[in-house]
Amino acid sequence: MKTIKTMSTSFASAVALLSVLTLAGVSAAQSRPTFLTPTQMPAPVNVAGTNSYSIALSADGLQAMVETDRAGGRGGRDLFLLQRATTQSSFTSYGPMGFCGAYDEGSGQFLWDGIGDLFSSNRPGGHGGYDLYAGSGTNSFAFPNNDTLNSPWDDAEPSLTSDGLEFFFTSNRPGSLGGKSIWRSTRAQVNDAWGSPVPLTAIDSANHEQSPSLTDDGLWLFFSSNRGGNFDIYAAARSTRQAPFGAPVRVAELSGPNHDIGIEIAPQDAQALVTVMINGRAVIMFAPAGSGPASLPGTALSASDTVAPGEILSVHLRAPVGHYGIVMLGAPIAPVQVGIGELRVNPVAVMVLDAAVLGEDQVRLIQTLLPENPHLRGMKVALQALTGLAPQLRLTNAVVVTVQ
């Protein structure tokens, strides 16, 4: 449970700083995200005559890491940093990341704190084959508790959930049904050691399963597999973060006649990035979300219901560690322009949700806030979130829950 704090700054000044993201009334976890037909991304994501093996996007979508063998690297495959001014702008290449060396560095992931990255490398000094590393600036180091996660075999393609409690990766170590398999390790708190990784038996096969990537809520796992002869994209669901995944299903809109060897679900589930082998070259394809609830800042979505004594509003929150979001309960009003966003409720209760501990969890607006506030009893209320300091803050669900 997140901490709920009393807002210390004035509401007006907070509104002036933050942009508005209103709330979707249907959980994104209820159905699989679907995507439009993939199209090849332009340079510098793909460069003619070279391979672009994988891509990772930062939470705000303004930075990317591309695993590539293009000129200008430091040897082998390198992770090139790309940046852009807005999500509608073109990327500019800034060359290989500072921690890249003469060996392979690939399958990167931006950490949600914005100051670190995960990647895999076959550089000397590891356990053997490819190992899992973390990097920041020009520094790199074996991933924490590496004696548990790394092995003498190939351990690559890291995927860490934003709360830092689940870690997925690809490995050909013994213990699975064969080939490359997806393994999972967990821990109770972010400062705890990682538990021994186990293969995801529900999605495993005697063939290859690779490139794990999860949706924001952690309930859908996308990956690539050649279980059908060709490498295609598959997805498997679970009912909760603690439940096992169900049987995987081929994702038809992301799978084509070529080998689809990699998949990255971008932050906020807004797009899929698929690595496809075309004429012997690995290229990255872009597929925007085709349906499902919008979750990007500025979308005009809201959730309203009648709140009575003895009931609370249950909210699902996603935010990077160290960021804050403002949540308001109040009567719906006609949209009013304030600062750089729109105000859609007349606030009766204003709270700051602190994401200093976790990234994705259920937050409950404390029960006593509702019965003790006569303005909220039996009235029609709406929930609105203001974001801007953390544009990747995501509120995915709002339902009124009776408290016994």
Side-chain angles (χ1 to χ4, degrees):
M1 182 178 293
K2 301 289 188 297
T3 302
I4 298 180
K5 297 181 178 180
T6 302
M7 189 166 62
S8 58
T9 58
S10 69
F11 174 71
S13 62
V15 168
L17 288 173
L18 303 175
S19 60
V20 174
L21 169 62
T22 50
L23 181 67
V26 179
S27 170
Q30 292 179 353
S31 59
R32 175 180 71 76
T34 59
F35 301 95
L36 304 181
T37 302
T39 57
Q40 185 169 325
M41 298 188 73
V45 175
N46 295 300
V47 174
T50 67
N51 292 287
S52 296
Y53 296 97
S54 68
I55 187 172
L57 284 180
S58 60
D60 60 10
L62 301 183
Q63 295 187 88
M65 282 190 293
V66 175
E67 176 187 357
T68 179
D69 59 4
R70 67 190 57 171
R74 298 194 174 102
R77 302 180 187 179
D78 289 293
L79 286 168
F80 274 60
L81 175 65
L82 312 181
Q83 292 183 332
R84 57 185 176 180
T86 70
T87 54
Q88 286 73 47
S89 304
S90 299
F91 280 109
T92 298
S93 176
Y94 286 84
M97 301 289 287
F99 51 74
C100 290
Y103 294 82
D104 289 340
E105 288 85 25
S107 54
Q109 181 192 15
F110 288 97
L111 294 180
W112 280 80
D113 60 14
I115 60 173
D117 315 292
L118 299 179
F119 64 97
S120 59
S121 178
N122 62 348
R123 61 182 60 184
H127 286 65
Y130 283 84
D131 287 300
L132 302 164
Y133 289 85
S136 178
T138 59
N139 300 316
S140 62
F141 48 90
F143 196 65
N145 205 21
N146 61 307
D147 287 339
T148 298
L149 298 180
N150 285 318
S151 74
W153 288 269
D154 288 333
D155 305 299
E157 299 177 332
S159 182
L160 179 69
T161 56
S162 62
D163 60 12
L165 302 183
E166 289 184 283
F167 187 73
F168 297 80
F169 62 97
T170 302
S171 181
N172 62 349
R173 64 179 66 187
S176 67
L177 295 180
K180 296 179 181 178
S181 298
I182 296 173
W183 294 68
R184 173 179 178 260
S185 177
T186 62
R187 57 186 177 184
Q189 302 291 334
V190 292
N191 293 322
D192 292 346
W194 287 105
S196 297
V198 296
L200 296 182
T201 55
I203 69 166
D204 202 13
S205 74
N207 296 286
H208 294 309
E209 283 73 41
Q210 59 191 42
S211 189
S213 185
L214 283 88
T215 54
D216 268 355
D217 55 23
L219 301 184
W220 281 94
L221 172 68
F222 286 75
F223 63 97
S224 173
S225 177
N226 66 341
R227 62 185 59 200
N230 205 50
F231 273 97
D232 289 317
I233 304 303
Y234 290 79
R238 57 183 176 181
S239 57
T240 68
R241 292 279 294 275
Q242 292 71 42
F245 286 99
V249 177
R250 181 177 178 270
V251 182
E253 71 269 26
L254 298 180
S255 302
N258 298 292
H259 286 295
D260 305 295
I261 60 172
I263 174 71
E264 166 83 2
I265 301 299
Q268 299 180 339
D269 308 344
Q271 54 197 283
L273 301 161
V274 183
T275 303
V276 182
M277 295 298 298
I278 300 177
N279 297 326
R281 294 291 183 189
V283 299
I284 296 171
M285 312 289 282
F286 165 81
S291 64
S295 60
L296 298 177
T299 55
L301 298 170
S302 64
S304 301
D305 212 327
T306 298
V307 177
E311 293 182 328
I312 63 172
L313 199 63
S314 175
V315 183
H316 286 175
L317 167 73
R318 171 175 286 279
V321 171
H323 289 272
Y324 299 85
I326 292 178
V327 169
M328 300 177 297
L329 281 173
I333 60 174
V336 177
Q337 290 290 332
V338 284
I340 59 174
E342 282 185 343
L343 182 65
R344 294 175 178 268
V345 300
N346 184 15
V348 175
V350 181
M351 289 142 284
V352 174
L353 299 182
D354 183 357
V357 179
L358 214 53
E360 186 276 328
D361 199 0
Q362 178 169 296
V363 178
R364 287 188 172 182
L365 309 184
I366 294 177
Q367 177 187 2
T368 55
L369 287 174
L370 302 183
E372 291 179 0
N373 191 329
H375 298 290
L376 287 175
R377 292 180 183 174
M379 70 178 290
K380 196 78 171 178
V381 300
L383 177 71
Q384 183 174 17
L386 294 179
T387 67
L389 297 178
Q392 59 270 48
L393 179 72
R394 178 177 179 184
L395 292 166
T396 57
N397 192 31
V399 292
V400 173
V401 180
T402 300
V403 178
Q404 301 298 330

